[in-house]
Amino acid sequence: MQVNATQPVLAVFDFDGTLTDRHTFWRYMRFIVGTRSFWLRIIPLLPKMLSVILGITPLMQARLAFIACYLGGLSVEQEREHAKYFITEQLPLWLRPEALRRLQWHQSMGHVTALVSNSPENYLIPWGQAAGFDYVCGTRLATAKNKLTGGISGTNCVEREKVTRLKSCLSNLDDFYIYAYGDSSGDDALLGIANSPFYRNWY
């Protein structure tokens, strides 16, 4: 399908496994609590993990148990500092060069770019802004009294929620010719609205 020369173009990217070569959120939690503490704390969560593998517990439900275990009670200021170091010291090691080249091509063409991911906005937003994205949407970690509660605010930014969140930024999606890049079933809804969907590939 050809792009209409007068039609604005939107390029939407997933993050984990698309712009990066691995999942980042559990590594972020490990970065915050330290490797030894991370593995010690995971022991009580092993039954939950087995339940996910057996198809008894939904993955997103189990994910909440991990957030509560590793991030609950952390002050907003502490977590913000962790995020700052994480995006400068860890994330650059995991970025896919070919993905960044594709992003930079869209930006050089003047296309609107959006980053929509299930990763938490706490590190997704500062990284995405530094990378030049026009819009960044992710899962929102809940806070109360200047601390992380260990829960999320709203819904995990996955599946149909990715499209919903994108529409909250750009309500007129039908006006755009859309490129979408993803790597998992959690991106199916996003790829489904694209004129040019790319699943685990760039061209």
Side-chain angles (χ1 to χ4, degrees):
M1 185 174 180
Q2 295 296 316
V3 183
N4 185 321
T6 62
Q7 188 177 22
V9 175
L10 169 64
V12 189
F13 291 79
D14 168 53
F15 190 62
D16 286 354
T18 300
L19 286 168
T20 69
D21 62 9
R22 66 198 69 192
H23 287 281
T24 60
F25 189 27
W26 74 263
R27 290 178 169 87
Y28 180 59
M29 292 185 286
R30 185 182 65 183
F31 179 79
I32 288 177
V33 303
T35 300
R36 183 173 183 276
S37 179
F38 178 84
W39 293 114
L40 286 174
R41 293 192 199 185
I42 210 171
I43 294 172
L45 297 173
L46 291 177
K48 184 80 70 176
M49 295 171 66
L50 179 61
S51 182
V52 171
I53 294 170
L54 295 176
I56 299 170
T57 301
L59 177 60
M60 290 301 104
Q61 181 180 325
R63 191 172 187 253
L64 293 175
F66 277 77
I67 294 172
C69 177
Y70 293 110
L71 300 180
L74 189 68
S75 77
V76 171
E77 290 80 6
Q78 285 177 315
E79 195 271 336
R80 187 179 295 122
E81 286 301 306
H82 285 302
K84 183 189 304 181
Y85 286 106
F86 185 69
I87 64 176
T88 56
E89 296 181 7
Q90 295 293 312
L91 281 182
L93 304 174
W94 306 329
L95 297 172
R96 295 183 186 274
E98 67 275 21
L100 292 181
R101 286 194 293 269
R102 190 64 170 175
L103 168 62
Q104 290 159 4
W105 175 78
H106 282 294
Q107 293 169 332
S108 72
M109 296 295 290
H111 299 164
V112 177
T113 56
L115 177 59
V116 185
S117 169
N118 196 24
S119 293
E121 289 186 348
N122 303 55
Y123 62 82
L124 204 66
I125 286 179
W127 182 86
Q129 290 176 339
F133 278 96
D134 297 297
Y135 301 97
V136 181
C137 302
T139 295
R140 293 164 176 158
L141 301 180
T143 61
K145 298 181 179 179
N146 207 37
K147 290 183 180 294
L148 273 66
T149 66
I152 64 171
S153 177
T155 304
N156 283 295
C157 190
V158 68
E159 300 171 348
R160 290 298 309 174
E161 181 65 15
K162 288 195 171 189
V163 177
T164 299
R165 293 291 303 281
L166 187 60
K167 287 180 176 178
S168 71
C169 299
L170 295 158
S171 58
N172 57 332
L173 290 182
D174 290 340
D175 293 345
F176 289 88
Y177 184 96
I178 301 175
Y179 290 81
Y181 302 88
D183 78 303
S184 72
S185 60
D187 301 314
D188 284 350
L190 201 59
L191 295 169
I193 66 168
N195 305 95
S196 291
F198 293 86
Y199 180 74
R200 297 184 178 178
N201 69 296
W202 298 103
Y203 303 100

